[in-house]
Amino acid sequence: MSATPQKKRASRRVLAAAAGLATVGALVAAMPAGAHDRGHGHGHGHGHKPRTVDVQLLSFNDLHGNLEPPAGSAGNVSETQPDGTVKAIPAGGVEYLATSLRTARKGSPYSVTAAGGDMVGASPLLSGLFHDEPTIEALNKLKLDVSAVGNHEFDEGATELARLQNGGCHPVEGCYEKGKKFKGADFPYLAANVTKEKTGKPLLKPYTVWKKNSVKIGFIGVTLEGTPDIVTANGVKGLKFHDEVETINKYARELDRKGVKSIVALIHEGGAPASTSYNYDCDSPGAGDGISGPILDIAKGITPKVDALVTGHTHQAYVCTVPDPAGKPRMVTSASSFGKLYTDTTLTYDLRTKDIVRTSVKSANHVVTRDQPKAADMTSLIERWNKLAAPIANRPQGWISADINGRGSTAPEKPLGNVIADAQLEGLAPADKGGAEVAFMNPGGIRADLVHKASGSEGDGVVTYGEAFTVQPFTNMMNVVDLTGAQLVAALQQQVSGPNEASPKILQVSKGLTYTLDLTKTGAARVVTDSIKLNGAAIDPARTYRVAMNEFLAGGGDGFPALGQGTNKLVGASDLDLFNAYLAAHSTAAAPLAPPATDRITVVQ
């Protein structure tokens, strides 16, 4: 769930702007947005102007360049039925997102569309191959008004982020279409809490003000303060990331002084609802009781001047009210990821006070279903870029006998995680390749499932280069390092302690490494140390082991400082190259690769 960023090489490419498309709120969309006699306005009466107007806020987050509908379980939304059963609904795809948003806007003269970050980055090949230019183009067509930056917007560094904003062809690969120059984003990217180390000045605009007639709403955008912990060092070089609450409060005061009284914060940080169903009531039994995670403390600390929070990063769906510092309820929303949902929030704007009537704010998440008409302009955009990508994307890499779940698996040990870790161990075990004895893969780096059903004309069971790229789009270079047994054990404990205690990050491990994870315990004690074995032998704390992992983990990323202590480093091939080599070596059309057993981590619950 954590949107874990990693590094990209110039030859691959994944942009950092994909905000997931949220599915929210038709609560309000059904009502015309002008004058209304719905009981919460004052000064109504014949011949009088209405005191309030309804502003429709449509929002989504964590799109991650998913222009085509996400494949397999990663493309489903969970919906709890009236009888308590849970149904999986196929959702997402920018052709449907565009239709959903355009339909929702009908009858709402005051409608603004905002995103909560990670619009790009860790994108499927259709967008990633072209440094996410296709996604920015799609967002422009969607009429996105504003987006916060997410951590993935920094995957390729500040210079590339500036190019996405301002336009211009890629400095290495140039223009992708003859006679066409990339125009950049029509919407402002907001990064209020990101400054340049040398000057202390903001990297991008901290806020923007949306205006229509006499209505003015300020938007402040921030990414999570911990971005440097989950992005490679090159991506955040020369930048400083500041506290989300302090930054938002500072700019809320500035907007207030300028007479902008209605303010929405776009925050690329989120929470975890108690249920994964998008229609779960996270205000039961009380306001905000059904959600946990970093966004709670952030929401409770942000000045009451801010009227609503659009959040993201955790790829979860929620519409909650969390009390502000004055104890008043305030809407906090997130729309899952990959364009599977959008949020529809009604902000009732008081034309006299220029503020939002907080007691009238309503919000809901809506599914971007695939049974509605496709937006023709998005279909032609996808076809155009697919044609450019086809020579690379359609190359077969291997064969599978059934779905091998990665992103779509909620288990600590994922079948696709095992395949990836085994591929890394096999590729780096030879003495001249690093002599690896064990490999670790971070779960956030697995961006999709391997799906048996054909995505195009390749035939069922064929894994194409495009599908493999979608699973591992960062093109991290692999590292093999020396770690002591004690450091190995410490790394496994860091999965469930320190910064990862509240939301564990369970490393995917190569065959031969086994241990027990006891979730009835707390902190580091969840890893049963005397159960850790490599090829049947207990880990020797004093012995040196050769350990393979991607450069992101080898830098201590994702809260694994022990993995950053490796010495005697050898840099190997990229993770994607090793993955594709493994598929080629272990599968044929007649003997496809089967989903591996998940028997390396014994989980006690």
Side-chain angles (χ1 to χ4, degrees):
M1 280 149 28
S2 113
T4 309
Q6 281 116 4
K7 173 141 171 213
K8 196 139 331 55
R9 297 243 143 315
S11 61
R12 220 69 308 163
R13 27 227 118 131
V14 183
L15 238 204
L21 316 188
T23 289
V24 182
L27 284 165
V28 191
M31 321 187 302
H36 37 121
D37 276 296
R38 282 197 280 278
H40 56 247
H42 304 292
H44 284 289
H46 298 294
H48 287 88
K49 278 188 176 178
R51 168 80 183 258
T52 61
V53 295
D54 277 349
V55 177
Q56 177 189 57
L57 171 62
L58 300 176
S59 57
F60 56 92
N61 50 279
D62 296 275
L63 177 61
H64 291 286
N66 279 264
L67 301 180
E68 296 176 295
S73 54
N76 290 337
V77 167
S78 296
E79 180 181 72
T80 300
Q81 306 300 299
D83 65 359
T85 59
V86 177
K87 180 181 175 186
I89 303 172
V94 78
E95 294 160 298
Y96 303 111
L97 179 66
T99 300
S100 289
L101 295 177
R102 288 163 184 170
T103 303
R105 288 174 188 142
K106 284 176 184 167
S108 294
Y110 293 87
S111 183
V112 57
T113 304
D118 276 8
M119 291 297 100
V120 299
S123 306
L125 183 129
L126 175 61
S127 186
L129 190 64
F130 306 106
H131 295 278
D132 284 310
E133 289 181 20
T135 295
I136 298 295
E137 185 184 334
L139 293 171
N140 289 344
K141 287 178 185 290
L142 278 181
K143 298 280 188 277
L144 182 62
D145 290 296
V146 57
S147 180
V149 294
N151 49 283
H152 280 277
E153 264 77 12
F154 293 95
D155 281 353
E156 295 192 49
T159 305
E160 174 62 4
L161 174 54
R163 187 183 77 87
L164 287 184
Q165 177 71 83
N166 302 320
C169 295
H170 192 269
V172 175
E173 297 175 30
C175 302
Y176 295 113
E177 294 178 287
K178 200 170 181 181
K180 274 194 185 178
K181 186 180 167 190
F182 174 58
K183 291 177 182 167
D186 292 343
F187 54 91
Y189 258 124
L190 304 180
N193 64 331
V194 186
T195 57
K196 299 173 187 172
E197 278 180 355
K198 281 184 181 169
T199 63
K201 290 183 176 170
L203 175 69
L204 294 168
K205 285 173 66 167
Y207 60 79
T208 191
V209 180
W210 178 85
K211 298 175 190 165
K212 181 160 185 187
N213 299 332
S214 55
V215 174
K216 285 194 295 191
I217 299 179
F219 287 88
I220 302 168
V222 297
T223 187
L224 71 159
E225 185 183 6
T227 291
D229 302 329
I230 53 173
V231 176
T232 52
N234 279 352
V236 294
K237 200 171 178 182
L239 302 176
K240 198 160 183 200
F241 292 77
H242 303 270
D243 182 82
E244 303 95 340
V245 174
E246 288 172 13
T247 303
I248 291 168
N249 290 350
K250 169 186 164 183
Y251 287 112
R253 287 193 298 271
E254 188 172 311
L255 282 165
D256 188 55
R257 284 197 303 271
K258 290 182 171 182
V260 179
K261 307 295 182 187
S262 298
I263 303 172
V264 174
L266 308 174
I267 306 170
H268 192 70
E269 178 60 290
S275 163
T276 56
S277 290
Y278 84 92
N279 57 341
Y280 164 70
D281 178 8
C282 63
D283 284 340
S284 174
D289 284 347
I291 189 170
S292 59
I295 200 61
L296 269 187
D297 286 341
I298 290 173
K300 288 173 181 173
I302 288 173
T303 170
K305 292 182 196 298
V306 175
D307 299 297
L309 314 183
V310 171
T311 72
H313 186 58
T314 56
H315 291 202
Q316 301 300 297
Y318 47 84
V319 174
C320 308
T321 50
V322 179
D324 70 13
K328 301 275 173 57
R330 178 167 55 194
M331 198 63 77
V332 179
T333 68
S334 172
S336 184
S337 64
F338 300 171
K340 293 182 287 189
L341 298 178
Y342 72 92
T343 310
D344 189 335
T345 302
T346 302
L347 302 173
T348 301
Y349 185 93
D350 188 314
L351 293 166
R352 286 190 207 164
T353 64
K354 301 187 182 344
D355 207 348
I356 301 299
V357 184
R358 197 90 79 67
T359 51
S360 298
V361 175
K362 298 183 187 71
S363 187
N365 270 324
H366 298 284
V367 181
V368 176
T369 59
R370 298 184 200 164
D371 57 3
Q372 58 186 323
K374 295 180 179 182
D377 57 338
M378 294 300 176
T379 303
S380 62
L381 180 149
I382 289 169
E383 285 173 352
R384 206 178 87 235
W385 287 102
N386 261 334
K387 199 171 174 184
L388 286 172
I392 295 171
N394 298 336
R395 236 172 26 224
Q397 302 297 313
W399 290 263
I400 55 174
S401 64
D403 289 1
I404 305 181
N405 284 344
R407 192 86 191 174
S409 166
T410 54
E413 181 184 350
K414 304 171 194 308
L416 190 50
N418 287 357
V419 173
I420 291 170
D422 288 352
Q424 294 176 354
L425 176 63
E426 183 171 295
L428 300 170
D432 62 336
K433 305 286 189 207
E437 299 167 82
V438 64
F440 291 135
M441 174 63 190
N442 55 310
I446 306 168
R447 304 305 299 187
D449 303 333
L450 277 187
V451 179
H452 184 262
K453 186 175 167 54
S455 59
S457 57
E458 75 275 13
D460 290 351
V462 178
V463 180
T464 65
Y465 183 88
E467 289 164 342
F469 182 100
T470 298
V471 168
Q472 292 205 94
F474 299 103
T475 315
N476 271 302
M477 301 313 288
M478 292 300 301
N479 291 182
V480 186
V481 299
D482 283 350
L483 287 173
T484 64
Q487 288 168 326
L488 255 180
V489 172
L492 292 174
Q493 292 172 326
Q494 285 161 3
Q495 301 176 109
V496 288
S497 62
N500 292 331
E501 180 158 6
S503 181
K505 288 197 175 83
I506 306 302
L507 295 165
Q508 306 300 288
V509 300
S510 55
K511 63 184 174 202
L513 186 74
T514 54
Y515 69 95
T516 298
L517 190 63
D518 187 347
L519 297 179
T520 64
K521 299 193 165 132
T522 56
R526 291 167 172 169
V527 173
V528 182
T529 48
D530 59 8
S531 72
I532 306 171
K533 294 191 165 84
L534 183 58
N535 301 322
I539 295 289
D540 177 354
R543 198 198 126 187
T544 296
Y545 295 84
R546 292 292 282 165
V547 184
M549 65 195 100
N550 60 46
E551 62 192 337
F552 170 66
L553 279 179
D558 258 358
F560 289 100
L563 296 181
Q565 294 165 0
T567 57
N568 193 19
K569 178 169 80 172
L570 182 142
V571 178
S574 76
D575 51 7
L576 182 62
D577 286 344
L578 292 181
F579 184 49
N580 283 330
Y582 187 85
L583 289 171
H586 292 271
S587 68
T588 63
L593 181 69
T598 48
D599 54 4
R600 300 169 191 184
I601 305 171
T602 302
V603 181
V604 178
Q605 288 181 319

